[in-house]
Structures are given as structure tokens and as C-alpha cells.
Amino acid sequence: MNTSTGEYVQLQLLPDDEDKKKVTYDWSGGGRHVNASKGLGRKIWHKDSGYTRNDRDVFGYYLFHSPVGETPLRESFREIGGNLDMRPAAVSKSVGRLHLGGLLLESEKVGRVTFYRVNPRAAYDGGAVEQRLATASARHPVVPCPSQEKEIAS
């Protein structure tokens, strides 16, 4: 920010060089910020978390592509898979594991299609008051990932 005028300016991250492009980040582009739990993120990305690389990619996709607030990400597994270079079945499996662990929550159903949203206890895009209200009824995410094996009743 230009402190004398209050105007946002481009932030130069690397020095000008004839061989390299000048790299800048435009802070005035209206970008949104997400409140995310760094502690939970560290656990998810740890090798002993029970979550696979695909699970982490899918969670990151939901984190950065979800609309504001508690609105679900309304994209098919085919669309998500196309953007992540994954098969729709692999996306489905990862979403199932992330849902089982409480990182993604079912939000709405349209016919046979279920749409998911990021658990507000893991990350939230919106105001602090809305996040506090959203977390009041949200379950706690679990790391390591629970087993998907069904228990056999004896």
C-alpha cells in the first residue's frame, strides 16, 4: 500500500531481471481469505494421517474452490477429477474418506447427487460471527482417518 495515498499497489516479489519476468501479486483483485486450522492441516498432511495424496488434493480443491459460507461446492466428481487429473471414482473414494473423517460434510442432495462442503471447524470462508455459528453444530474432524471397514455384528 502506498502509505501517502492509501492506494493498493503491486507487490514485487522478485527483482527485475532481463532474463526473468517480473513476478507480482495483485492485492487489489478482490481475493478472499479463508480461516483454516493450521494444526489440523499439519495433521492431515502428515504421512501417518491415514489420508492419501489424492485425499489431500481433493480436500485442497474443496478448500480453494468452495463458495463463501456454508454453501456446498456444486461440481460433479467428473469435473473435479478433470481439474485434478484424477478419475471420478478416485475423487468419489477420497470424498468418502474425507466425509468419514469429518473434513467434508454433506450439504444437500439433488436427486441422487450429494454435494459436500468444507467442515467449518477445518476451514471457513466468511466472517467470524458466521464461522462461530457454523461451528456450533459441526462435528469435529478426525485425524487419523477412521477405517472404512464396516463392523460385522456378531
Side-chain angles (χ1 to χ4, degrees), residues 2-20:
N2 182 332
T3 55
S4 62
T5 65
E7 177 185 10
Y8 287 107
V9 294
Q10 292 276 335
L11 175 66
Q12 185 174 335
L13 300 176
L14 297 175
D16 286 330
D17 189 342
E18 292 180 14
D19 297 332
K20 296 179 182 178

Side-chain angles (χ1 to χ4, degrees), residues 54-72:
N54 282 353
D55 298 344
R56 293 187 296 265
D57 285 349
V58 169
F59 181 68
Y61 188 88
Y62 270 84
L63 184 63
F64 295 112
H65 288 85
S66 292
V68 176
E70 295 186 76
T71 307

Side-chain angles (χ1 to χ4, degrees), residues 41-79:
R42 259 192 316 276
K43 289 179 183 178
I44 294 167
W45 264 264
H46 193 271
K47 66 181 180 179
D48 296 333
S49 70
Y51 294 100
T52 67
R53 181 174 290 147
N54 282 353
D55 298 344
R56 293 187 296 265
D57 285 349
V58 169
F59 181 68
Y61 188 88
Y62 270 84
L63 184 63
F64 295 112
H65 288 85
S66 292
V68 176
E70 295 186 76
T71 307
L73 178 63
R74 292 186 183 99
E75 290 186 24
S76 69
F77 293 161
R78 182 181 307 268
E79 291 171 302

